[in-house]
Amino acid sequence: MFVARSIAADHKDLIHDVSYDFHGRRMATCSSDQSVKVWDKSENGEWHCTASWKTHSGSVWRVTWAHPEFGQVLASCSFDRTAAVWEEIVGESNDKQRGLSHWIKRTTLVDSRTSVTDVKFAPKHMGLMLTTCSADGVVRIYEAPDVMNLSQWSLQHEISCKLSCSCISWNPSSSRAHPPMFAVGSDDSNVTYGGKVQIYEYNENTRKYAKAETLMTVTDAVHDIAFAPNLGRSFHVLAIATKDVRIFKLVPMRKESTSTGPTKFEVQIVAQFDNHNSQVWRVSWNITSTLLASSGDDGCVRLWKANYMDNWKCTGILKGDGSPLTGSSGQPSAMSTVLGSSVQSSQNALNGMSAGSQKSQHLTS
Amino acid sequence: MEEVDVEPTITNIPAISDGKHMGFAWGPGDILVYETRYKASGASGSGCSFIHEIRKDEDIYSPILRKLFNESHHIFVGLQTIREDLPSKSKKPQFVSISKNYRSVIRACMEELQQVAGNTFENMLLLVSILLAIELIWNLCEVLFIDAAPAGSLLLHLLDWVRLHKADVDEKAREVLQSESPAEHRDYWDVVVSYVLQGRLEEVRQMLVKQANLQPAARSMYKQMDTLLSKMPFYNPGGTQTLTEFDVKWRHWHEEVDRCLQDNSFASNRHLELICKILLGDEDTLLDHKELLGTWYHFLVTRLLFCHPTVKLTELHYYAQVYHILTSFSILESLLPIFTKPCVCVCVCVFSFGSNLREFLLLEYASGLFTHHSLWQLAVDYFDHCPEFGRVYLELQIERVPLETERKALKVLRVCEQRQMSEQVRSICKIMAMRALRNNRLGSALSWSIRAKDAAFATLISERFLQDYCAKGTFSDLDLIDNLGPAMLLSDRLTFLGKYREFHKLYGEKRFREAAKLLLSLMTAKIAPQSFWMTLLTDALPLLEQKEVIFTADQTYELMFCLEELTSSLNITASSTDRPMQEEDVEVTKVELLRLALARNLAQAIVKEGTVEI
């Protein structure tokens, strides 16, 4: 792997979150400098900052994009106890020429009494729904019934998780085989009780979310949580960032026809890695759920991959080395090839090749 | 079947200090990283960090590789169409030919890469070495599994394979032969031994002649060696000799060579004695020359050539194991990491090897292609041939293809529509419709909503059209509305829009009676929203004021009824709303005008209908 490009982020304080939009052509960054910046990728691959504005009166922890079916919409959450929804307004033509766009606030969600630690949009098949979680242990689900009027949001569900919440993740699956479901992680540091990850499921009858599962084996503070894209499987895969990286498999058990409660799950641990040797702060899946990335206290980002037999292992490490940024754009480093052959033997092979080129006639036989 | 443990590669990121936290975000084909600090409570740090875009090493943007991808894709698609029901006997030559085709495509790519000069030399060398490895393994797999030659031929193919990939000996030989005194060149014996190891005995004999000429005293010894070399039997698959006959002949020869060794015929010349030992396939001697052999597979083939030339395919596994070589399956396994590089054509696995591994690799390869702005179209075919996960992978990834232009969106849509991926079709159309709407391109937004079969959105856009009409007095995007056809039925509002426009057309063509009928039906059939009725009635005014009577008496009664319905509902609301006096005045005037016009029309219509033409 190599550094293809480095973008000067220009925030005046620490960046807390970077989020790509659905198509990977735009990104949003948020920072302790209380602002959000939106960047657009041009055709030649260069990033340009097209908007930068103050969003909150405290550090902005997370920023996330809504699905493009709803237009260009962002949500942010902050230490200032609020979450906000922003929509891009198509500006005057001269603005466009200057490469600028405007974002206006559509709504502020002020229900939380404490810092709002995560904000996520629910899967698009559920409509335009926004979920927040706070340090006060409450998960709130808001809905905008009219997609064309983003200033109207109603609080649909308020769920008390009893423990301070740090992260939420929706199961992205839109299959009718299972109801909407999300997971909440708690960064409560008291290890005497487990259950730092709770799974909630929507019940069609009561029209409410009910707790379906608590992962009792997770006793340490959880900093991040991520459902993997579903890929048509009958079970769910959940990655957790805690004192190590853990991957769980949740297998729904057959429901009795008379049962009206939430689905019961069989919880299996698929993998556990403590390579970070410390706290793991973020986990995230790539689009096809073939790669998991994690970031830890050791300052590294690790990439995890399963082989075709479903054995997980680390396939790459990104490590800061503190070296100054060079002027040239990245060149791929001469990594040691898995063949074990050095560049020299490649040279030999090349020589061998050219000598043997007359042999290519062999192939036409 | 253990996988070789490969250490994870470490990539150093500049401008992030050792020990600082690193945040990341997955993107299409890359990952963004940045310096940050994760802490339970709010943290402040220095600003102005960098965000780094990290990519994997493959150069899928290289135009040379692009050709490789395109050509291999073409072969792949052709392979899939080979009919399943053909007996394997007739399929085999086709498979062999396809395999050769793939390999020549790879070799062509390698040659092109070599010709390209440039500062990406290191990267290019890496690519070439990977392609070399692929072709090597492929060739072996072709020999072992696709061609699957019987005993006798098998060794010949293996020998060919070794010779093809150990071509550097010819380079050395050329150097030696071009020198002043080849037989005295320091590499002379290396070349000779290498030729022996590859079973190229003709060349050995030619080289030895030169040495023999230098040493007339040893002429008889060289003659003896020459005879031995010339008599070594090689199996001729096309010939009349059976395998057994060949085996017998070969054993006789082998015994003869052994006798020469035991007789110390070559004892005085260590080089010739060495050659003799190699001809006997002596393991220790071969191991002594592992530098010339270079690889374990060369060693294996040479040993087989001089010990067991009638080796069968099934025995090969045994021999491989005996020499601590991984089983044939694990050959692939150990080199698996190579296959996961997107620039690799994984089509070896297209042929066989258990559907799990094949599909796994195909999915991986195709996913890598998907991040490219045009190669994604190739990837679609690969996904189509992955029975288990191909479709869901395609669904996930095709949604993410950026829709920069309408043309690209249509391309993506075509792929989805061909595969009945209706949810993806709907989603893409909705995204395009939303984008058009935000940019106030109502016509485009409408046509995308229709394609998405999104009734709600179509209603919304129709409303906008109508509002525009009310404001400006004209329609935009007339072409679109005029040619809606059955799509009009998607939503009530859309139907109204279409029919309303039809009314205007009829009026414009002076087909007043039809226009009048349509206008009335819009209200009576409740196609028009009541909010629009005033506009419609106002539209009726010019028809009412024509010299000729257009609305019949019955129709006029209906119009009057509509007007009363409208005014009574307005009256209920009028009292509660705060409308400026002027507006109310205008409304009142309008209503008065209408009542007058309707009354007059009614009178005229009654008269006309009651009149009998004499």
Side-chain angles (χ1 to χ4, degrees):
Chain A
M1 308 196 90
F2 67 103
V3 180
R5 192 174 267 111
S6 295
I7 308 136
D10 225 12
H11 274 287
K12 299 190 181 36
D13 205 329
L14 268 187
I15 297 177
H16 290 292
D17 198 15
V18 170
S19 177
Y20 259 112
D21 83 330
F22 188 73
H23 294 297
R25 310 290 303 171
R26 311 187 84 180
M27 71 167 169
T29 59
C30 65
S31 157
S32 265
D33 70 2
Q34 304 178 2
S35 75
V36 164
K37 287 182 197 282
V38 172
W39 307 74
D40 280 32
K41 195 166 191 177
S42 66
E43 276 184 21
N44 62 359
E46 295 287 326
W47 288 97
H48 303 283
C49 181
T50 53
S52 171
W53 72 103
K54 180 161 151 53
T55 47
H56 290 275
S57 50
S59 292
V60 189
W61 297 131
R62 306 259 205 174
V63 66
T64 183
W65 293 83
H67 194 277
E69 276 187 35
F70 302 113
Q72 297 296 302
V73 178
L74 277 174
S76 58
C77 68
S78 161
F79 181 71
D80 73 357
R81 308 195 299 273
T82 69
V85 177
W86 310 88
E87 186 174 16
E88 189 183 35
I89 298 302
V90 175
E92 299 300 308
S93 53
N94 53 348
D95 272 339
K96 265 217 188 113
Q97 275 165 10
R98 282 188 295 151
L100 294 176
S101 66
H102 294 285
W103 291 76
I104 64 172
K105 184 191 284 206
R106 288 303 190 196
T107 193
T108 313
L109 306 170
V110 299
D111 305 273
S112 174
R113 301 267 171 81
T114 56
S115 169
V116 183
T117 49
D118 200 0
V119 63
K120 292 263 168 35
F121 283 100
K124 70 167 158 71
H125 67 271
M126 294 171 62
L128 188 52
M129 291 182 78
L130 188 65
T131 324
T132 60
C133 71
S134 308
D136 63 9
V138 181
V139 170
R140 294 178 175 87
I141 304 181
Y142 300 86
E143 184 174 9
D146 180 2
V147 161
M148 298 310 294
N149 180 4
L150 292 184
S151 34
Q152 296 301 326
W153 291 79
S154 68
L155 176 59
Q156 301 280 70
H157 304 276
E158 208 162 11
I159 299 153
S160 176
C161 303
K162 313 258 188 326
L163 296 171
S164 146
C165 302
S166 59
C167 49
I168 7 169
S169 172
W170 281 94
N171 186 338
S173 159
S174 56
S175 154
R176 301 230 183 95
H178 40 258
M181 160 191 335
F182 66 88
V184 192
S186 165
D187 56 354
D188 181 301
S189 46
N190 188 333
V191 299
T192 53
Y193 44 88
K196 299 290 161 55
V197 174
Q198 300 171 37
I199 318 272
Y200 287 86
E201 200 185 58
Y202 186 68
N203 185 319
E204 293 288 345
N205 300 323
T206 62
R207 309 261 204 97
K208 282 192 172 17
Y209 281 88
K211 193 183 323 196
E213 189 66 50
T214 308
L215 301 184
M216 294 308 295
T217 53
V218 183
T219 53
D220 295 275
V222 169
H223 306 292
D224 201 9
I225 197 167
F227 268 107
N230 187 264
L231 294 183
R233 300 181 289 233
S234 59
F235 58 88
H236 313 294
V237 177
L238 184 64
I240 295 173
T242 170
K243 73 170 195 302
D244 48 30
V245 176
R246 277 183 228 185
I247 305 177
F248 285 93
K249 188 164 148 174
L250 302 168
V251 187
M253 305 209 279
R254 276 193 62 91
K255 254 184 158 153
E256 304 297 314
S257 51
T258 52
S259 153
T260 50
T263 316
K264 294 256 175 295
F265 291 98
E266 186 197 329
V267 178
Q268 300 167 7
I269 185 149
V270 167
Q272 192 163 351
F273 307 111
D274 54 11
N275 305 54
H276 284 288
N277 264 338
S278 52
Q279 294 296 320
V280 182
W281 292 96
R282 285 278 182 276
V283 281
S284 173
W285 297 92
N286 71 343
I287 296 170
T288 48
S289 75
T290 46
L291 277 173
L292 176 70
S294 64
S295 168
D297 249 351
D298 62 348
C300 292
V301 169
R302 282 188 162 72
L303 303 173
W304 310 92
K305 190 177 157 72
N307 70 356
Y308 76 103
M309 306 238 286
D310 247 348
N311 293 324
W312 286 86
K313 48 186 248 250
C314 182
T315 57
I317 303 174
L318 305 174
K319 189 170 158 38
D321 65 358
S323 64
L325 195 61
T326 56
S328 63
S329 66
Q331 288 291 318
S333 54
M335 60 176 240
S336 56
T337 74
V338 296
L339 302 174
S341 58
S342 64
V343 170
Q344 183 56 41
S345 70
S346 311
Q347 180 73 60
N348 291 342
L350 259 179
N351 293 340
M353 268 304 303
S354 48
S357 57
Q358 62 262 39
K359 300 260 185 226
S360 51
Q361 285 172 32
H362 166 88
L363 291 169
T364 59
S365 59
Chain B
M1 258 191 260
E2 265 181 41
E3 201 174 300
V4 169
D5 231 348
V6 179
E7 276 302 303
T9 54
I10 299 182
T11 308
N12 286 319
I13 315 293
I16 294 183
S17 322
D18 195 12
K20 284 272 169 65
H21 289 157
M22 204 189 294
F24 64 88
W26 280 111
D30 61 21
I31 186 168
L32 297 176
V33 296
Y34 53 95
E35 186 180 302
T36 185
R37 187 115 46 92
Y38 295 114
K39 269 283 194 319
S41 56
S44 259
S46 60
C48 194
S49 36
F50 285 90
I51 299 175
H52 306 281
E53 220 182 273
I54 312 292
R55 277 228 179 91
K56 273 201 194 171
D57 280 305
E58 322 80 27
D59 219 338
I60 65 171
Y61 290 89
S62 146
I64 299 171
L65 281 185
R66 181 104 173 246
K67 212 162 116 188
L68 176 64
F69 295 140
N70 275 308
E71 287 177 357
S72 60
H73 167 260
H74 186 66
I75 302 172
F76 177 84
V77 170
L79 172 63
Q80 304 310 309
T81 60
I82 287 181
R83 291 180 45 201
E84 279 295 313
D85 51 355
L86 284 178
S88 41
K89 265 218 183 110
S90 51
K91 275 199 251 184
K92 181 164 136 178
Q94 277 186 294
F95 283 159
V96 173
S97 141
I98 287 175
S99 176
K100 289 191 153 68
N101 212 352
Y102 267 129
R103 284 196 296 121
S104 66
V105 159
I106 295 175
R107 283 180 97 91
C109 181
M110 273 195 280
E111 278 170 23
E112 240 188 283
L113 277 175
Q114 286 173 262
Q115 279 161 21
V116 166
N119 53 8
T120 54
F121 190 61
E122 239 169 46
N123 195 25
M124 197 242 311
L125 276 183
L126 182 63
L127 272 175
V128 169
S129 70
I130 291 173
L131 287 173
L132 259 174
I134 295 164
E135 210 267 327
L136 176 72
I137 300 162
W138 196 316
N139 204 340
L140 178 60
C141 291
E142 185 184 300
V143 167
L144 294 178
F145 305 111
I146 301 169
D147 220 343
S153 305
L154 178 61
L155 182 67
L156 292 176
H157 288 170
L158 285 173
L159 209 52
D160 274 342
W161 176 64
V162 161
R163 287 171 184 171
L164 202 58
H165 293 96
K166 221 41 192 93
D168 55 346
V169 70
D170 285 307
E171 173 94 15
K172 236 196 240 177
R174 223 192 332 265
E175 213 182 282
V176 166
L177 290 170
Q178 280 169 1
S179 71
E180 285 221 5
S181 176
E184 288 172 326
H185 195 285
R186 63 189 170 122
D187 284 337
Y188 171 82
W189 283 111
D190 272 352
V191 171
V192 171
V193 171
S194 296
Y195 276 142
V196 178
L197 292 170
Q198 287 189 17
R200 291 162 72 173
L201 303 186
E202 268 308 307
E203 282 97 325
V204 174
R205 291 172 67 196
Q206 283 167 19
M207 295 284 289
L208 284 180
V209 160
K210 301 202 190 309
Q211 191 64 239
N213 290 339
L214 276 187
Q215 299 176 37
R219 184 159 332 145
S220 63
M221 211 174 15
Y222 277 93
K223 189 81 180 72
Q224 196 175 11
M225 176 53 78
D226 189 70
T227 314
L228 279 181
L229 290 170
S230 67
K231 278 161 75 174
M232 176 172 178
F234 278 90
Y235 182 63
N236 179 2
T240 50
Q241 189 188 52
T242 66
L243 193 65
T244 325
E245 285 167 3
F246 162 73
D247 197 34
V248 166
K249 216 169 151 203
W250 184 83
R251 276 181 205 289
H252 277 153
W253 174 83
H254 193 91
E255 276 157 24
E256 200 183 323
V257 177
D258 198 27
R259 269 200 299 278
C260 288
L261 188 67
Q262 303 304 330
D263 288 347
N264 289 324
S265 311
F266 302 110
S268 54
N269 184 322
R270 65 184 177 90
H271 294 292
L272 291 181
E273 191 166 67
L274 174 70
I275 292 174
C276 194
K277 285 191 183 158
I278 294 176
L279 290 177
L280 286 172
D282 180 55
E283 191 171 330
D284 290 328
T285 316
L286 290 181
L287 284 173
D288 280 342
H289 289 85
K290 49 174 187 260
E291 262 160 46
L292 288 179
L293 287 167
T295 57
W296 60 264
Y297 38 86
H298 192 346
F299 171 82
L300 172 63
V301 172
T302 304
R303 177 106 163 110
L304 287 171
L305 172 66
F306 295 121
C307 292
H308 187 40
T310 56
V311 65
K312 287 205 283 269
L313 198 50
T314 46
E315 292 168 334
L316 204 58
H317 292 211
Y318 166 73
Y319 279 105
Q321 267 169 357
V322 167
Y323 300 119
H324 306 293
I325 294 160
L326 311 164
T327 63
S328 58
F329 194 135
S330 296
I331 293 173
L332 277 187
E333 266 270 32
S334 66
L335 293 153
L336 211 54
I338 306 175
F339 284 107
T340 61
K341 291 192 184 301
C343 70
V344 167
C345 307
V346 293
C347 308
V348 173
C349 296
V350 163
F351 291 101
S352 58
F353 275 129
S355 58
N356 269 353
L357 178 56
R358 169 186 180 269
E359 180 153 328
F360 177 80
L361 293 172
L362 273 176
L363 288 172
E364 184 123 0
Y365 174 62
S367 296
L369 287 178
F370 232 100
T371 58
H372 189 275
H373 61 83
S374 66
L375 289 177
W376 63 269
Q377 294 168 87
L378 301 181
V380 173
D381 284 314
Y382 290 111
F383 283 132
D384 281 344
H385 292 103
C386 291
E388 213 180 330
F389 286 113
R391 186 177 173 94
V392 68
Y393 265 69
L394 182 58
E395 284 173 359
L396 269 179
Q397 299 194 283
I398 202 152
E399 279 189 329
R400 302 268 183 166
V401 175
L403 309 166
E404 297 102 325
T405 60
E406 289 230 348
R407 202 161 139 248
K408 187 153 184 206
L410 288 171
K411 250 194 217 174
V412 177
L413 271 179
R414 210 172 301 131
V415 169
C416 296
E417 280 163 353
Q418 279 167 353
R419 289 157 181 79
Q420 283 96 44
M421 289 162 64
S422 48
E423 170 51 34
Q424 280 67 33
V425 169
R426 188 208 59 79
S427 182
I428 291 166
C429 292
K430 184 65 186 284
I431 293 170
M432 296 302 286
M434 191 51 130
R435 193 187 293 176
L437 186 63
R438 282 179 67 240
N439 285 296
N440 231 11
R441 289 180 286 119
L442 293 181
S444 180
L446 184 61
S447 70
W448 282 113
S449 319
I450 291 171
R451 198 156 175 173
K453 298 201 182 45
D454 191 333
F457 216 56
T459 301
L460 201 134
I461 297 169
S462 306
E463 278 284 354
R464 284 274 190 99
F465 267 113
L466 293 167
Q467 281 165 18
D468 262 6
Y469 170 76
C470 287
K472 298 182 203 149
T474 53
F475 283 111
S476 56
D477 299 285
L478 284 176
D479 260 341
L480 174 64
I481 303 172
D482 283 344
N483 293 306
L484 283 174
M488 213 190 286
L489 300 171
L490 180 63
S491 102
D492 280 348
R493 195 65 91 252
L494 183 58
T495 314
F496 170 62
L497 178 65
K499 290 283 174 205
Y500 188 51
R501 166 65 196 148
E502 208 181 306
F503 162 74
H504 280 275
K505 259 171 76 183
L506 288 171
Y507 189 92
E509 290 164 13
K510 299 212 190 320
R511 290 153 68 181
F512 295 129
R513 288 248 153 70
E514 291 169 67
K517 197 161 161 215
L518 179 56
L519 186 65
L520 186 58
S521 70
L522 287 178
M523 283 186 284
T524 54
K526 303 270 187 269
I527 299 175
Q530 217 183 49
S531 53
F532 219 75
W533 281 14
M534 193 43 108
T535 315
L536 291 176
L537 288 167
T538 317
D539 281 334
L541 264 175
L543 290 171
L544 291 165
E545 309 209 320
Q546 296 273 340
K547 276 226 196 88
E548 205 194 328
V549 171
I550 296 173
F551 285 103
T552 67
D554 281 335
Q555 285 175 333
T556 318
Y557 277 126
E558 288 198 61
L559 278 173
M560 285 167 138
F561 183 72
C562 289
L563 180 60
E564 291 318 308
E565 216 184 305
L566 185 62
T567 48
S568 58
S569 67
L570 280 179
N571 277 339
I572 296 168
T573 52
S575 48
S576 53
T577 55
D578 257 320
R579 286 160 80 191
M581 283 302 290
Q582 291 165 311
E583 233 186 275
E584 258 198 57
D585 276 344
V586 168
E587 286 306 305
V588 167
T589 319
K590 260 201 221 164
V591 173
E592 295 293 312
L593 269 171
L594 274 168
R595 287 221 175 94
L596 184 57
L598 282 167
R600 248 193 274 143
N601 194 72
L602 184 59
Q604 286 177 309
I606 292 174
V607 167
K608 182 177 170 213
E609 283 160 32
T611 307
V612 173
E613 303 283 334
I614 299 173

